[in-house]
Amino acid sequence: MSTSSTQSRGINRRFNSLQSNGHASRDGSHPRKRVISHNDAYLYALRVAYLTYLLQPRARRTQHVPTPPAPVHRSSTSVNDLMKDFSLIRDSKSTRFPHGFMSELERRLTGVLMGREKKPEYNDATVKRTFAAFFNAFTEQSFKKRMEKDRRVEDLVLIFFSNATKELQKGKTPGDDSWKLMADRHLALFVRLISLVLKDHDWARDRPELAGRLATLESKLLAHDQDLSSTPTRNGASAGTTVEVAIPLSYEVKDMPLVQVVARIFGLTNTQVQSDINKYKPVWTERAALQDLKSYQTYLNLNSKKTLRSDDFHFDEAYDCWRKGEDHDLSQMMLAIIQSSPELAKSTPGSSLPKFNRQMSSPDSGDASYPDNLSRASDFSERSSYVIDQPVDMTTLSSGSQSPVSSNDDENSFTFIPPDPRAFYRFIVAEALTYDLNDKTLQPSEATADAPAVKLLSKQSTELLNELGLRWLIHPVSRMVLSLDVIREKYIDQEKEYTLDTLDAFFNFIKAQPPETKKNQGTMNSLLHDRTKWVVTDTALYQQILSALHEALMRDLYNIMQQCYESKPPSIGPIMYVLETHIYDDSSFSKSREELDAFSGALHEGLHQKAHDMYRSYLEKHVPQDQQCWEFYHVIELGKAVTALAQKIQKRYKKNPEIMGVNPLTALVETILPLYAEDARDIVTRILDLAQASGEEVPIEDGFQLYGELVEIRRVHGEVLPKVPFPFPIEATLAEFVWRWIRMTESSINDWVDQAIKQDQFRVRTENPQQIPTEDQRHSVSVMDIFTSFNQTIDRVVQLNWDDDLQYAKFMTALAKMVGAGIARYCDTVEQRFTKEMDRLSPEQEAAASQTKQEKWLQLAKDTWNNKDKIEPFQFFPESFVKLNNIDFAAQQLDKLEHEVNVDACAAVIQSHAPPVTQRQKKTNNYVFTIKIVEAEDLKACDMNGSSDPYVVLGDEYQKRLAKTRIVYRNLNPRWDESVDIITQGPLNIIATVWDWDAMGDHDCVGRASLKLDPSHFGDFLPREYWLDLDSQGRILLRVSMEGERDDIQFYFGKAFRTLKRTERDMTRIITDKLSAYIHHCLSRRTLRNLTSKGITMSTVSNYFNRNRPQPTTQAPSEAEITNALKPLFAYFDDNFAIMNQTLTSTAMVMVMTRLWKEVLVTVEGLLVPPLSDKPSAQRQLSQQELDIVFKWLQYLFDFFHAVDEETGEANGVPLGVLRSPKYFDITTLNFFYFESTDALIRTSERMASATAARQQSQRNRLSAPASLASPAFGGAAGLMGGLPSTRRSKSIMLSRNLGTMKKAKEEKWKEAQADPNDDMILRILRMRPEAERYLKDRSRQRERLAANAAAEIIVKQSLMAGGGRMTGNLPRR
């Protein structure tokens, strides 16, 4: 258990005040406060509110006054003159009405006449009469046609005016001109109707000039009649007029809004306030207010202490700027008083009154940076409505025209201005704030995305404070600073109404720009930012306010941060917002870096202690005290709690990870993660020790779950503390759980495979038996099940995200071994079932098996006499093909798994951590011998027909059966080309027994041979070929190579791939073997004889015994006869391919066809030449005619297997690259040498052998590693292989670790076969020439000598490289 200290960590003494509940005291330099009484403040506020009432604009009421009738005057401007605006630009398109306008105007005129027009001015009967007169002229076709053509508005207007004039003159006396104004009115209505039509159809937007001129024309026509919707008199004159008169003042409180505000703030009733107003009304007059302003101006001119002086500003320019603004404000207020009480002007000399001064309103007058209306622009609300913002000349109001004032500055000589305006203003601000914040009827401001809903000063209180600041001539900045000082005092005293929201709202309130006008736009904003224009007292007070607020906020921030690890801590957002927005961003705030760093250090230490306390509480909660009760579950739960806390803190402070330079997550992780790691290490170690002592095992899943939790904690630790190592070696402690999982899985793998095979019926996975399966449905469920198990097993380890690359690579290596074992088990079981299905007896064979021995001999003699060949098609089971599909699917899945595991990377990691070769401990190695049973020759005939049906069985010296080949029917020179892997730890003797298969009775032994497999002879890991003489007759060729069985992931995957491919190849060969008998039957010399001979004659028999005599020429068979000879074979292939195509996948189908093609090539090759050997052959050389027939057969079969669609030209069979194999090229080259003389063939063979030997010698000289040759035991026909064997490691497991490497190895093999031609075919031709017997033996002895010299050279080189006089048996690491 960790012994980390739990003692509290000390905090810097400088910040003890941040933890205490005491309040910060005001700085000693703060100005001394004047004691203000409640009553004095009330009276001064009341008199200002009352003055506002006196000076407010008087309400006015309207009074009707009848007017005498006026004579009618006609405008001297005629209609023709009004239309000149149109006629001057008559050719402009923008003044013409659009197409379709006439019809819309006609519809609108019809609406006027029918009374449907909504405009009331069109409902007059006279209007309808004039419009009807115009409508008659408007509807004439000639007029409409002319208007549609010209589209001029002036024509419409003139026609309307003409018709309206005629209509209105009817019934009028010659001297009556009253109709003329009516004609103008009706014409204006017509012009308005045109404008409405244009507007309703959005035509006015495209013709702005037309719309503008119509509006101008209408306004000119209405010079005598402004209201078209009213009903005028007949002559257009109104019946009377109205005048406005001022309403006298009531002097009642109910009519005084600001007075009521004062009453509410100071807690008085309206009656009490009314009494005070009545009492002081004679004193609180407009004259007294004007006198106060005059006195103030006198003090200002005298530079008295009662006003601000230049010493109160930082710079003289600031004072001058303020002085200009102050003079302007005084003149404005004086003018407002005089305008409110004009009688004051009568009692004041004219020269003393302020006058409007046009010169002062020029832009050049005054300082532009300090506008003339600064006092009102800085108010908290809109300026009072009665203050007239006009330039006023105050030069006449000199000090000489004012009443004398006392020279004693201490005496208060003002009526409305208190003796200390700043103190009184601050007191009233405090009272107003207290009242408004406690006023439940006051609705808070609306909440926004940036600010919550808060209550501050009401609009009425703001107006009152505005008036106080204005009348008391307090500097705008002073009002802001004094108000902020009130908020500061209330907040530090922690009054509940004054929260951070209130503080933030008030900062925003005083910084808010006032309503923008042409003169005050941005004034207050610029003044607040230009601190050079502030009063010195305000600057000092503002700095003290910011400093006091900073200390209080830092104290609150520290207390809140001490709760940051709790489930629901208070938010630090408001505090940080106020600090950053209103404190740190303010240029007046100054704090040393050392003080801020000291606070950060104290906060960091405090968080460390809180994190330590949190961890201890988690430890007590999740881990019991009794060690005997400890389980991984407790460590996991503790880790989850720690992780959850860290994630919560990380998420909580994601946007702002650092608070005042302190990261809460870092402080938390620095404390709790090391503590958890140490405690988890000790607890896990103790649990494992107790489990080992009691003989029990901790469940594997518990270990995996614990690892996942520890890894997550380590990840968090790494992100926050990248340079601090995690103290718990997780992988080293918990690796055994993974090994236990792997061992458990490995022990169950065979059972998984057996159960999967047992439950599989090996059928295609179609829902309907009649349905043709797709490619993905042609494999059964067993192979899917085992690879699902493989993937789940590997994924279980992968999902752990093991952080040790070396251990992970070793895990994958062990899992690869397990996968290889499972695949080998699956291949063995499936292949056994497949072989059993393919080796079943046909109905004829079952009938023959039931015959007696005498009946069997009689039937055999009868078949021999009738020369009957029993070639019957084999009936394949669909289940057999599904098994082949499974093996192909397994190879694809294994290749996919190999890429997902990233085998090469795992091998590279293990190799990089491997010790040097000299430091490796010697251990017992397993060696994998790959034995390929190639062929045999001159076997003993065991059947009555002079042939045998040989197959080979390999066994060890303990008579354990290791492998068995397929049966090659009726052949004394069989070729098997089958491989088997044998694992051994030392030398092993193997016995190869050749048996003759008999359908009746026991199988006969043809012969035996033995070979010793010694790993010391295969240190170069290169293949060797052994011709072993049988103890009876003939010999057998074995090709042996060795590879060390290494604990290597590439080796295990390669071995698994080779197992799959070998099983696939063996199963494919078994299928093709069922078809090969008919291939041999159709492609035989008997078929050739039937084509070339017309019957048996004496000359034919004599020619048979004299082969050296030239054969008489016979008539060559036709193309049709040659083709017909292959038709049975093609039909046989088609029948079988049709069966296979129903079940086999396309890949497996091509594989079977490829194997059949190889069988065809082997059969054709057997027709042409005998097998390779150092002994002469009794096989007869074909004639030219027979050779031509064979090559035509080869071409026909080539085209058949390539299967090109005649319509599309697409190849559906075996690819050309596969068809044109090295053997195919060897057969095609026979045509060049087949009829050459023996001497020419010998010379060609010697030349090719010399070139091959020289080329291989050059390769050995270039290689740094010694090239290996066959051992001296290599004899017999080995000398006929056309030179020394290749140094490439053929069929290596490492070259078979995935489908890509296997394909690449095959391509390299084909390229090598084509690049290094040999004389094998020439030697096989020479076997049919008796005169070449001596040459064949000489080549064999020459080969043996070269092999012996090469072997000696290799031994010397290996000894030198090993650093000693003997070869080492260790396998090299790759």
Side-chain angles (χ1 to χ4, degrees):
M1 180 68 68
S2 172
T3 57
S4 301
S5 174
T6 59
Q7 296 178 358
S8 301
R9 295 179 173 88
I11 300 177
N12 196 305
R13 292 182 179 179
R14 185 177 183 85
F15 290 90
N16 286 338
S17 61
L18 298 179
Q19 304 176 29
S20 63
N21 293 326
H23 305 317
S25 61
R26 298 292 296 270
D27 190 80
S29 62
H30 193 77
R32 182 177 57 87
K33 293 183 180 179
R34 175 189 290 267
V35 178
I36 307 297
S37 67
H38 186 274
N39 188 62
D40 291 344
Y42 157 69
L43 290 177
Y44 274 102
L46 180 62
R47 64 187 70 184
V48 170
Y50 175 69
L51 178 63
T52 302
Y53 170 74
L54 295 178
L55 299 179
Q56 68 180 355
R58 303 292 175 85
R60 308 181 78 84
R61 62 188 176 191
T62 59
Q63 181 176 349
H64 182 76
V65 179
T67 58
V72 177
H73 296 283
R74 171 71 173 134
S75 174
S76 63
T77 305
S78 66
V79 174
N80 291 329
D81 294 335
L82 295 176
M83 297 305 298
K84 286 182 179 180
D85 291 340
F86 290 92
S87 61
L88 292 175
I89 51 172
R90 62 185 302 169
D91 293 332
S92 175
K93 294 182 180 180
S94 63
T95 59
R96 296 184 179 183
F97 54 77
H99 292 288
F101 172 77
M102 294 293 291
S103 60
E104 292 298 329
L105 181 60
E106 181 179 359
R107 185 182 61 82
R108 198 68 176 259
L109 289 171
T110 304
V112 173
L113 298 178
M114 298 297 292
R116 294 196 300 266
E117 182 63 40
K118 297 181 180 179
K119 300 291 184 180
E121 56 266 28
Y122 294 97
N123 295 327
D124 185 68
T126 308
V127 172
K128 293 182 180 181
R129 184 159 56 88
T130 56
F131 271 65
F134 168 74
F135 188 75
N136 293 332
F138 179 80
T139 54
E140 293 181 2
Q141 293 300 324
S142 59
F143 176 76
K144 293 179 67 175
K145 183 179 298 185
R146 181 165 57 86
M147 293 305 301
E148 288 288 353
K149 178 181 178 181
D150 296 338
R151 296 187 289 116
R152 294 186 300 186
V153 176
E154 58 268 29
D155 295 343
L156 283 175
V157 174
L158 292 175
I159 293 298
F160 181 88
F161 184 75
S162 175
N163 285 275
T165 302
K166 292 178 182 180
E167 186 66 28
L168 292 174
Q169 283 180 344
K170 292 179 180 181
K172 300 293 183 181
T173 61
D176 188 2
D177 294 336
S178 61
W179 59 270
K180 292 183 179 180
L181 290 178
M182 187 66 66
D184 291 347
R185 171 183 172 83
H186 290 189
L187 181 59
L189 287 172
F190 178 70
V191 172
R192 177 174 293 186
L193 188 67
I194 294 176
S195 300
L196 291 174
V197 173
L198 292 174
K199 182 178 179 182
D200 291 345
H201 292 81
D202 205 20
W203 287 328
R205 185 176 59 181
D206 298 334
R207 289 166 172 78
E209 187 173 357
L210 175 60
R213 296 193 180 277
L214 288 173
T216 303
L217 177 60
E218 180 183 344
S219 63
K220 289 181 179 180
L221 290 170
L222 294 179
H224 301 283
D225 194 351
Q226 298 297 333
D227 189 3
L228 289 177
S229 61
S230 64
T231 303
T233 61
R234 297 291 291 178
N235 60 357
S238 57
T241 183
T242 58
V243 296
E244 292 184 351
V245 295
I247 300 176
L249 297 176
S250 64
Y251 296 98
E252 295 181 0
V253 174
K254 63 182 180 64
D255 296 329
M256 306 176 185
L258 286 187
V259 172
Q260 296 178 22
V261 174
V262 173
R264 288 195 295 268
I265 290 176
F266 287 92
L268 301 176
T269 63
N270 289 348
T271 303
Q272 294 173 320
V273 175
Q274 185 69 57
S275 175
D276 291 335
I277 290 176
N278 295 335
K279 177 180 178 182
Y280 295 104
K281 182 166 59 174
V283 180
W284 296 346
T285 63
E286 294 95 327
R287 184 180 300 278
L290 181 61
Q291 184 62 38
D292 282 355
L293 295 178
K294 293 180 181 180
S295 301
Y296 181 84
Q297 188 177 38
T298 301
Y299 289 129
L300 185 64
N301 294 332
L302 294 176
N303 200 21
S304 171
K305 293 182 179 181
K306 290 182 177 292
T307 64
L308 294 177
R309 299 181 297 179
S310 59
D311 295 341
D312 295 324
F313 291 86
H314 296 280
F315 302 99
D316 293 339
E317 293 81 359
Y319 172 75
D320 295 339
C321 184
W322 170 81
R323 176 64 185 270
K324 291 179 181 180
E326 196 76 353
D327 290 340
H328 178 267
D329 290 345
L330 288 172
S331 65
Q332 291 290 325
M333 287 188 288
M334 290 181 184
L335 180 61
I337 295 174
I338 293 173
Q339 288 179 342
S340 176
S341 301
E343 65 275 5
L344 293 178
K346 297 179 181 179
S347 61
T348 305
S351 59
S352 301
L353 293 177
K355 302 177 181 179
F356 293 109
N357 190 345
R358 297 291 181 182
Q359 183 178 0
M360 292 180 64
S361 65
S362 63
D364 298 333
S365 63
D367 191 351
S369 62
Y370 207 112
D372 49 13
N373 62 339
L374 175 63
S375 60
R376 282 164 305 283
S378 61
D379 295 335
F380 295 129
S381 65
E382 298 180 357
R383 60 184 177 88
S384 301
S385 59
Y386 58 85
V387 178
I388 301 176
D389 187 13
Q390 296 288 345
V392 180
D393 185 5
M394 296 296 296
T395 56
T396 58
L397 286 177
S398 61
S399 59
S401 63
Q402 299 172 6
S403 301
V405 295
S406 174
S407 60
N408 187 6
D409 291 346
D410 294 336
E411 181 183 354
N412 184 26
S413 59
F414 301 109
T415 302
F416 291 93
I417 302 176
D420 188 351
R422 290 170 58 93
F424 275 84
Y425 183 84
R426 186 183 184 283
F427 184 91
I428 297 174
V429 168
E431 294 296 323
L433 279 172
T434 301
Y435 174 79
D436 286 342
L437 291 179
N438 292 323
D439 186 6
K440 297 182 180 180
T441 61
L442 178 62
Q443 297 297 324
S445 62
E446 294 184 2
T448 63
D450 300 327
V454 293
K455 291 173 60 175
L456 208 58
L457 290 172
S458 63
K459 181 179 180 181
Q460 295 79 8
S461 299
T462 305
E463 292 178 357
L464 174 63
L465 294 175
N466 178 41
E467 288 299 323
L468 294 176
L470 181 65
R471 294 299 168 188
W472 293 349
L473 297 167
I474 301 176
H475 194 279
V477 176
S478 299
R479 307 177 205 173
M480 177 268 292
V481 174
L482 292 171
S483 301
L484 183 62
D485 189 44
V486 173
I487 297 294
R488 185 269 315 162
E489 182 180 21
K490 300 291 186 180
Y491 178 77
I492 292 178
D493 291 341
Q494 297 183 356
E495 296 186 12
K496 63 179 182 178
E497 296 86 2
Y498 294 84
T499 62
L500 282 171
D501 293 336
T502 306
L503 183 62
D504 172 57
F506 198 83
F507 266 111
N508 294 329
F509 182 65
I510 62 177
K511 293 179 180 180
Q513 188 172 345
E516 295 184 357
T517 63
K518 292 183 179 179
K519 293 186 177 181
N520 71 351
Q521 183 174 1
T523 301
M524 190 59 188
N525 236 7
S526 60
L527 183 61
L528 289 176
H529 288 86
D530 189 2
R531 305 296 168 86
T532 61
K533 296 180 180 180
W534 283 26
V535 181
V536 175
T537 306
D538 292 338
T539 302
L541 178 58
Y542 188 69
Q543 291 177 347
Q544 294 174 8
I545 292 172
L546 293 180
S547 178
L549 287 176
H550 179 260
E551 291 183 5
L553 291 172
M554 294 294 277
R555 178 193 65 221
D556 295 343
L557 177 63
Y558 182 90
N559 294 332
I560 291 177
M561 288 300 296
Q562 295 303 300
Q563 309 173 50
C564 69
Y565 298 141
E566 298 178 1
S567 58
K568 293 183 179 180
S571 174
I572 64 169
I575 290 183
M576 295 305 302
Y577 178 81
V578 173
L579 282 172
E580 294 174 358
T581 306
H582 304 307
I583 305 297
Y584 295 143
D585 288 349
D586 199 303
S587 59
S588 299
F589 176 77
S590 61
K591 203 72 172 179
S592 65
R593 183 74 258 179
E594 291 77 10
E595 293 177 345
L596 295 178
D597 292 341
F599 175 81
S600 300
L603 179 60
H604 195 270
E605 289 297 321
L607 292 181
H608 269 297
Q609 183 60 41
K610 287 295 181 181
H612 193 280
D613 297 341
M614 289 293 295
Y615 176 75
R616 286 301 165 194
S617 64
Y618 286 158
L619 186 65
E620 295 175 359
K621 178 180 179 181
H622 296 288
V623 180
Q625 296 293 330
D626 188 3
Q627 297 184 5
Q628 300 295 329
C629 300
W630 284 354
E631 297 179 1
F632 281 3
Y633 171 78
H634 300 130
V635 182
I636 293 172
E637 290 300 313
L638 179 60
K640 287 182 178 180
V642 170
T643 305
L645 178 60
Q647 291 176 346
K648 183 192 300 182
I649 299 304
Q650 184 180 28
K651 183 178 180 181
R652 182 177 295 169
Y653 298 100
K654 183 178 182 180
K655 295 183 179 179
N656 299 300
E658 288 193 357
I659 311 299
M660 301 300 296
V662 178
N663 191 323
L665 179 61
T666 303
L668 176 70
V669 173
E670 286 177 347
T671 304
I672 65 172
L673 291 191
L675 293 175
Y676 173 78
E678 295 173 4
D679 291 344
R681 178 196 60 201
D682 298 340
I683 294 174
V684 170
T685 303
R686 182 59 178 168
I687 292 174
L688 294 177
D689 292 342
L690 292 175
Q692 183 178 5
S694 61
E696 299 177 353
E697 287 186 342
V698 180
I700 296 177
E701 286 300 324
D702 290 355
F704 286 175
Q705 190 176 1
L706 176 62
Y707 179 79
E709 192 63 39
L710 292 174
V711 166
E712 178 64 20
I713 293 177
R714 183 173 60 187
R715 181 192 64 79
V716 177
H717 182 277
E719 291 179 355
V720 183
L721 305 173
K723 297 182 180 180
V724 180
F726 195 68
F728 187 2
I730 306 174
E731 283 73 21
T733 305
L734 302 179
E736 182 58 28
F737 287 93
V738 184
W739 288 117
R740 285 172 53 195
W741 164 264
I742 294 175
R743 288 192 296 268
M744 181 185 69
T745 306
E746 189 175 4
S747 63
S748 305
I749 190 66
N750 289 338
D751 184 59
W752 292 355
V753 173
D754 294 341
Q755 291 297 325
I757 295 175
K758 183 178 180 181
Q759 298 175 8
D760 192 3
Q761 296 180 355
F762 293 97
R763 296 178 182 174
V764 293
R765 296 174 292 106
T766 56
E767 297 179 0
N768 187 357
Q770 304 300 326
Q771 180 184 355
I772 298 177
T774 62
E775 287 289 318
D776 294 336
Q777 294 175 338
R778 296 186 178 230
H779 53 268
S780 62
V781 296
S782 60
V783 67
M784 299 173 62
D785 292 342
I786 64 170
F787 271 95
T788 299
S789 300
F790 293 160
N791 288 315
Q792 290 176 351
T793 302
I794 294 176
D795 289 344
R796 189 67 185 89
V797 178
V798 172
Q799 291 170 0
L800 293 175
N801 295 321
W802 204 261
D803 200 33
D804 190 310
D805 291 342
L806 179 60
Q807 288 185 349
Y808 178 79
K810 290 182 178 180
F811 295 157
M812 291 297 108
T813 301
L815 291 175
K817 182 179 180 181
M818 178 268 297
V819 170
I823 289 177
R825 178 79 170 193
Y826 185 79
C827 290
D828 290 343
T829 306
V830 170
E831 187 176 9
Q832 289 175 11
R833 292 192 174 194
F834 179 84
T835 304
K836 184 177 180 181
E837 293 169 357
M838 300 300 289
D839 288 345
R840 70 186 187 278
L841 298 177
S842 63
E844 292 78 4
Q845 291 174 339
E846 292 180 355
S850 62
Q851 293 176 348
T852 61
K853 189 173 185 180
Q854 184 177 3
E855 291 174 343
K856 292 178 182 179
W857 283 108
L858 290 174
Q859 184 65 37
L860 180 60
K862 182 178 179 181
D863 293 342
T864 303
W865 176 260
N866 294 330
N867 197 22
K868 179 181 178 182
D869 292 326
K870 294 182 178 180
I871 306 300
E872 301 173 354
F874 185 79
Q875 297 297 326
F876 293 101
F877 287 164
E879 292 82 356
S880 302
F881 293 147
V882 172
K883 292 180 176 66
L884 181 58
N885 293 339
N886 286 358
I887 299 301
D888 179 63
F889 179 78
Q892 298 175 14
Q893 292 299 307
L894 185 63
D895 183 68
K896 181 180 179 181
L897 185 62
E898 191 264 352
H899 284 88
E900 292 176 352
V901 172
N902 200 354
V903 169
D904 294 339
C906 292
V909 169
I910 294 178
Q911 182 65 27
S912 64
H913 290 81
V917 178
T918 56
Q919 298 180 6
R920 297 176 189 171
Q921 296 181 358
K922 187 175 180 180
K923 61 180 181 180
T924 302
N925 292 321
N926 291 334
Y927 301 99
V928 180
F929 282 96
T930 301
I931 301 175
K932 183 173 184 179
I933 306 171
V934 183
E935 60 180 339
E937 63 178 20
D938 296 336
L939 296 181
K940 181 179 66 174
C942 299
D943 296 337
M944 292 182 61
N945 57 6
S947 182
S948 296
D949 303 320
Y951 66 92
V952 180
V953 174
L954 284 183
D956 59 10
E957 56 192 354
Y958 304 106
Q959 299 179 351
K960 178 183 178 182
R961 182 172 175 175
L962 302 176
K964 174 189 174 182
T965 67
R966 74 185 191 282
I967 302 169
V968 180
Y969 295 96
R970 291 176 295 176
N971 199 327
L972 298 179
N973 298 294
R975 188 175 185 87
W976 294 282
D977 286 327
E978 296 186 25
S979 301
V980 63
D981 290 339
I982 299 175
I983 301 176
T984 180
Q985 294 182 353
L988 178 67
N989 291 320
I990 61 170
I991 301 172
T993 305
V994 183
W995 294 89
D996 171 55
W997 180 85
D998 287 327
M1000 300 172 293
D1002 297 333
H1003 299 181
D1004 300 325
C1005 179
V1006 179
R1008 290 184 178 88
S1010 63
L1011 176 66
K1012 183 177 182 180
L1013 303 178
D1014 192 346
S1016 62
H1017 296 163
F1018 291 85
D1020 53 3
F1021 300 102
L1022 294 180
R1024 288 163 172 75
E1025 293 184 347
Y1026 295 94
W1027 276 104
L1028 304 178
D1029 294 328
L1030 300 178
D1031 56 2
S1032 56
Q1033 175 185 334
R1035 56 185 181 174
I1036 184 172
L1037 176 61
L1038 301 181
R1039 185 175 293 132
V1040 183
S1041 62
M1042 186 194 76
E1043 187 157 1
E1045 187 179 63
R1046 299 151 49 182
D1047 189 18
D1048 184 276
I1049 188 171
Q1050 292 177 331
F1051 177 84
Y1052 290 131
F1053 268 96
K1055 186 178 179 181
F1057 269 109
R1058 191 157 72 168
T1059 301
L1060 286 170
K1061 284 301 176 182
R1062 183 170 294 168
T1063 303
E1064 186 179 60
R1065 185 171 57 250
D1066 292 344
M1067 295 170 69
T1068 305
R1069 187 187 63 248
I1070 293 174
I1071 294 175
T1072 55
D1073 284 347
K1074 298 301 180 182
L1075 309 177
S1076 61
Y1078 200 69
I1079 296 175
H1080 297 159
H1081 171 71
C1082 295
L1083 303 178
S1084 63
R1085 291 194 173 227
R1086 178 182 300 173
T1087 307
L1088 284 175
R1089 287 196 302 270
N1090 293 337
L1091 284 174
T1092 57
S1093 65
K1094 303 300 181 180
I1096 301 176
T1097 62
M1098 294 300 296
S1099 60
T1100 305
V1101 177
S1102 63
N1103 289 336
Y1104 175 77
F1105 290 101
N1106 190 2
R1107 290 184 301 175
N1108 294 329
R1109 177 183 295 181
Q1111 301 294 326
T1113 58
T1114 59
Q1115 183 179 359
S1118 63
E1119 288 290 334
E1121 292 175 337
I1122 297 174
T1123 305
N1124 290 336
L1126 291 182
K1127 279 187 176 180
L1129 180 60
F1130 289 155
Y1132 185 71
F1133 281 157
D1134 287 337
D1135 293 340
N1136 286 278
F1137 289 167
I1139 298 174
M1140 296 178 187
N1141 197 38
Q1142 295 177 358
T1143 307
L1144 286 178
T1145 62
S1146 57
T1147 305
M1149 189 69 189
V1150 172
M1151 187 166 50
V1152 172
M1153 294 177 67
T1154 302
R1155 180 67 191 182
L1156 282 175
W1157 172 247
K1158 292 181 180 179
E1159 192 68 28
V1160 168
L1161 292 179
V1162 171
T1163 305
V1164 172
E1165 185 183 45
L1167 289 176
L1168 298 174
V1169 291
L1172 189 64
S1173 178
D1174 58 349
K1175 296 179 181 180
S1177 174
Q1179 182 173 332
R1180 177 181 64 83
Q1181 187 170 341
L1182 298 179
S1183 64
Q1184 183 65 53
Q1185 188 180 76
E1186 292 172 332
L1187 186 66
D1188 293 341
I1189 293 173
V1190 171
F1191 276 104
K1192 288 182 180 180
W1193 284 352
L1194 182 62
Q1195 185 59 44
Y1196 294 154
L1197 289 166
F1198 185 94
D1199 295 339
F1200 176 82
F1201 277 91
H1202 192 39
V1204 177
D1205 193 330
E1206 296 180 357
E1207 296 181 357
T1208 63
E1210 181 181 359
N1212 299 318
V1214 182
L1216 283 177
V1218 177
L1219 292 174
R1220 293 171 179 170
S1221 62
K1223 184 176 287 296
Y1224 174 78
F1225 283 107
D1226 289 342
I1227 294 175
T1228 56
T1229 57
L1230 276 175
N1231 204 12
F1232 299 102
F1233 305 107
Y1234 203 73
F1235 295 107
E1236 289 283 335
S1237 63
T1238 302
D1239 293 338
L1241 291 175
I1242 291 175
R1243 287 194 298 272
T1244 303
S1245 176
E1246 289 177 345
R1247 185 170 57 254
M1248 295 176 69
S1250 299
T1252 302
R1255 184 167 55 253
Q1256 292 185 352
Q1257 181 62 38
S1258 176
Q1259 292 177 355
R1260 289 199 302 272
N1261 294 336
R1262 288 197 307 268
L1263 293 175
S1264 59
S1268 175
L1269 302 176
S1271 65
F1274 200 111
L1280 304 178
M1281 299 308 294
L1284 299 177
S1286 171
T1287 58
R1288 190 175 64 88
R1289 295 180 60 182
S1290 178
K1291 301 290 185 180
S1292 170
I1293 291 179
M1294 300 303 291
L1295 296 178
S1296 305
R1297 63 180 182 272
N1298 57 44
L1299 295 179
T1301 57
M1302 295 172 71
K1303 182 179 180 180
K1304 185 177 180 181
K1306 180 178 288 187
E1307 292 175 353
E1308 292 178 354
K1309 179 181 178 182
W1310 283 23
K1311 291 179 181 179
E1312 182 180 348
Q1314 295 176 4
D1316 297 335
N1318 53 53
D1319 59 345
D1320 288 355
M1321 282 301 178
I1322 296 177
L1323 295 175
R1324 296 173 74 170
I1325 295 173
L1326 289 175
R1327 285 195 65 194
M1328 297 185 294
R1329 311 286 179 88
E1331 62 272 17
E1333 180 179 3
R1334 184 176 182 83
Y1335 175 74
L1336 294 175
K1337 293 182 179 180
D1338 291 343
R1339 280 292 305 275
S1340 178
R1341 287 193 293 270
Q1342 179 187 8
R1343 177 66 180 185
E1344 291 176 357
R1345 289 195 299 271
L1346 291 174
N1349 294 335
E1353 181 182 354
I1354 290 173
I1355 292 174
V1356 173
K1357 287 185 177 181
Q1358 287 182 342
S1359 178
L1360 293 175
M1361 292 182 64
R1366 59 184 182 84
M1367 294 172 52
T1368 60
N1370 293 334
L1371 293 177
R1373 296 273 180 157
R1374 290 180 69 86

